[in-house]
Amino acid sequence: MPDDIDFMRLALEQASRARTAGEVPIGAVLVAGDGVIAAGANRPIASHDPTAHAEIEALRAGGQALDSYRLTDTTLYVTLEPCAMCAMAIVHARVRRLVFGAWDPRAGATGSVTDIFALPGCNHRVDVFGGVLAEECGSLLREFFAARRG
């Protein structure tokens, strides 16, 4: 039976696809039961869409796969701590569990900069687990930005 590390490796594959496409290498997979129902890679540059973060892409595909905007009983795996936009989308989608890799000290919204999931007005609670394959996830990002800086 696959575990958090197995699914995070699949999210890393999505991040590698984003990198190959010239996007910031962040990937996500949405899991229901023991299987992946959707995946997403960062694509705001190619899509000319500032909301096309990996998490949003996976949530959109998951909604289509389940024929519902409510993604209850799912787990979202993402290689980087979600930003505030993505965190609120996760809440609105009713994702049960979020597992992420690297922490984002600049824009992370699960505790690094703010914690969207702890806001008292949220109508849904998400179980959040950070740091799964954090070094691999962070390394991919550091290498990407180092190469871009020259």
Side-chain angles (χ1 to χ4, degrees):
M1 189 151 130
D3 63 11
D4 288 347
I5 290 173
D6 296 322
F7 289 122
M8 188 59 72
R9 289 198 191 288
L10 295 176
L12 277 163
E13 288 177 14
Q14 292 296 315
S16 292
R17 288 185 180 143
R19 179 188 59 203
T20 299
E23 303 275 358
V24 175
I26 301 169
V29 294
L30 185 66
V31 173
D34 294 336
V36 174
I37 60 167
N42 248 20
R43 51 183 227 99
I45 296 167
S47 66
H48 307 289
D49 179 357
T51 69
H53 291 194
E55 300 94 313
I56 301 296
E57 295 294 300
L59 293 174
R60 287 176 178 155
Q64 294 298 311
L66 295 178
D67 199 28
S68 176
Y69 72 97
R70 295 194 188 254
L71 305 175
T72 56
D73 296 322
T74 60
T75 299
L76 182 65
Y77 294 85
V78 62
T79 57
L80 183 67
E81 179 184 8
C83 68
M85 174 186 70
C86 292
M88 279 309 296
I90 291 164
V91 169
H92 286 295
R94 308 292 199 282
V95 170
R96 181 178 52 84
R97 209 169 150 246
L98 166 68
V99 179
F100 68 88
W103 295 88
D104 185 352
R106 292 191 178 124
T110 70
S112 288
V113 174
T114 190
D115 189 351
I116 293 295
F117 302 107
L119 293 175
C122 283
N123 61 345
H124 174 71
R125 295 290 169 217
V126 178
D127 292 328
V128 179
F129 302 91
V132 175
L133 297 180
E135 184 52 40
E136 288 179 50
C137 294
S139 222
L140 190 61
L141 286 160
R142 284 189 299 277
E143 291 167 9
F144 175 81
F145 286 113
R148 290 188 69 142
R149 285 190 287 266

